[in-house]
Amino acid sequence: MKITYYGHSCLLVEAGGKRLLFDPFVTGNPLVGAIDVNSIRCDYILVTHVHSDHIGDLETVMQHNPNAVIIGIWEVHAHYSAKGYATHPMNKGGWWSFDFGRVKMVNAVHSSSFPDGSYGGEPVGFVVETADGVFYHAGDTALTRDMELIPMTCPPLDLAILPIGSNFTMNYQDAVLASDFIRCNQIVGCHYDSFGYIKIDHKAAKAAFAEKGKDLILMEPGEKKEF
Ligand code: NI
Ligand code: MN
C-alpha cells in the first residue's frame, strides 16, 4: 500500500485498488506548504471525528470528487447525507466489506462536535483490511486498553497511524504502549507539530520507539511512501 501524507491526520492510502482519504484537513495547516487540496483525488473519505482539524477540507474535496463516499459514524453520515453527499454509516464494533476490503470501526477516546458546536457522534478509529495489507488509523485518541481488542479481533496489522502530539491526544510515550497493545511495530506518526500545542521532539520520539525495537515513521507533508 502507498501512503501520501498531507499533514496532521490527513493521509491518502492507496490500497485494494482504491484511494482512501482520511480526515481531510490541509488548508489552515501552516506546515503543508504548496499542497493543493483541490488536486486530491479519492474514492472514499474516512472520517475519524468532526473537529475542524479533521474535516476542514472535506466539502472542498467532495466538490472535486463527486463520486466519493464518506465513511463515518452514524451522526457523520446523517450530517453529510442531508447535504446530498454519498455516505456509508457505521458504528463502533462493526465491520463492513467495501470494494477495497473490510473496515472495522473501533473505539477512540476523545470528543467530537462539528465546528458549529452540534453533536458529531463519537470519535472513532478504523482498521482497514485490504489485499495490499492491514492498517489502523487511530484518529484522535488517548491511550486506551480497548486497543488490546484490535489484535484479538482483527487480522495482524502491517502498519498503524497513531497520534503522538500530546495535549489533545496521547503523547509519543503512550503511543509506544499503544503499539504494544495493537502488536504493531511499524508506526506512522500523525497529529503532531501542526500547531503550538502539539510540537514534538522528533529525535526523542523516534528513539522512544527504537528502544522497543519499533519504527516510528515521521513523513513530511506531501511525501509518499510505499509500505
Ligand atoms: Ni479532535
Ligand atoms: Mn484533532
Side-chain angles (χ1 to χ4, degrees), residues 102-187:
R102 284 205 308 162
V103 174
K104 185 178 192 185
M105 181 171 276
V106 297
N107 198 30
V109 175
H110 190 66
S111 63
S112 184
S113 53
F114 286 97
D116 69 358
S118 62
Y119 181 57
E122 291 203 356
V124 304
F126 294 101
V127 176
V128 180
E129 178 191 20
T130 76
D132 300 315
V134 183
F135 66 95
Y136 167 47
H137 190 312
D140 281 7
T141 186
L143 178 65
T144 165
R145 285 278 187 192
D146 283 352
M147 290 167 176
E148 291 180 311
L149 296 173
I150 291 174
M152 297 170 74
T153 60
C154 300
L157 299 175
D158 299 302
L159 177 79
I161 300 146
L162 301 180
I164 56 172
S166 200
N167 193 65
F168 296 116
T169 68
M170 59 186 172
N171 60 13
Y172 64 78
Q173 294 91 335
D174 283 4
V176 173
L177 288 171
S179 72
D180 284 338
F181 287 177
I182 60 176
R183 296 187 206 152
C184 184
N185 292 334
Q186 186 167 234
I187 306 300

Side-chain angles (χ1 to χ4, degrees), residues 42 64 67 80 83 87 91 136 172 187-188 193 201 223:
C42 62
H64 296 282
N67 297 318
Y80 288 112
K83 291 186 163 202
T87 60
N91 215 315
Y136 167 47
Y172 64 78
I187 306 300
V188 171
D193 283 1
D201 178 337
E223 187 182 343

Side-chain angles (χ1 to χ4, degrees), residues 1-80:
M1 53 193 158
K2 190 158 105 185
I3 292 189
T4 308
Y5 184 54
Y6 290 118
H8 206 51
S9 295
C10 182
L11 308 95
L12 181 79
V13 182
E14 294 171 66
K18 297 291 172 186
R19 297 166 69 85
L20 316 178
L21 182 69
F22 290 80
D23 288 1
F25 166 71
V26 176
T27 311
N29 180 349
L31 302 183
V32 300
I35 295 172
D36 178 13
V37 72
N38 300 308
S39 68
I40 296 175
R41 292 294 168 266
C42 62
D43 301 299
Y44 293 89
I45 300 179
L46 291 89
V47 180
T48 65
H49 67 297
V50 291
H51 287 152
S52 54
D53 59 321
H54 297 261
I55 55 144
D57 287 313
L58 186 146
E59 295 196 56
T60 304
V61 171
M62 286 304 286
Q63 278 159 24
H64 296 282
N65 298 271
N67 297 318
V69 176
I70 299 164
I71 302 173
I73 201 162
W74 179 264
E75 290 78 4
V76 172
H77 140 79
H79 177 89
Y80 288 112

